[in-house]
Amino acid sequence: MAKPAKLDRLLRVRTLQLGLVRAEEVRAQDRFRSETALKSRIAQLAEGVAPSSAQTAGFSFIAAAHFRDRLQQSAEAAEGRLRAAEQVVERAAEATREARRDQSAIEKLIARADADAVLKAIRALEAAPPTRKIRHDPC
């Protein structure tokens, strides 16, 4: 069985690692939310440039078509970034679960070591010779 000082050190390290992994997961989720917001903003812009039945000059049709094309390219790029961010979030969540498992394993080892120490102390007390002190002299 490992020494208590070593287990405490391992627990501190695993707790630190868990905190770092959780922070990375939060950053990944923030990036995912940011990409989602960007994608929805691009979709709103594309809806705003959609062709309408109003009479406009031919040049504005060309400009609007060019702008829609650029927005479509941006939407496709945003979709790719969104998928990538989603994968990063999934990997970060898995890393957090693994770090939590590692930390809880160390906590279980510490609990087991404490229980073993208590059992060892109980057995030592059971094996010790009785030390009954007579409080009064015989009368």
Side-chain angles (χ1 to χ4, degrees), residues 28-29 31-40 74-90:
Q29 289 172 348
R31 182 171 178 234
F32 180 74
R33 282 191 291 274
S34 172
E35 293 296 338
T36 303
L38 178 64
K39 182 182 175 193
S40 66
S74 295
E76 290 170 0
E79 182 65 34
R81 286 192 309 270
L82 186 63
R83 282 193 303 270
E86 187 176 21
Q87 291 173 354
V88 169
V89 166
E90 290 171 7

Side-chain angles (χ1 to χ4, degrees), residues 11 15 17-18 23 25 29 33 36 38 40-41 51 57 72 75 84 86-88 105 119 132 134-135:
L11 180 63
T15 302
Q17 288 174 342
L18 178 62
E25 182 180 11
Q29 289 172 348
R33 282 191 291 274
T36 303
L38 178 64
S40 66
R41 179 66 181 141
Q72 179 63 31
E86 187 176 21
Q87 291 173 354
V88 169
L119 282 175
R132 196 165 118 183
I134 299 176
R135 292 180 176 243

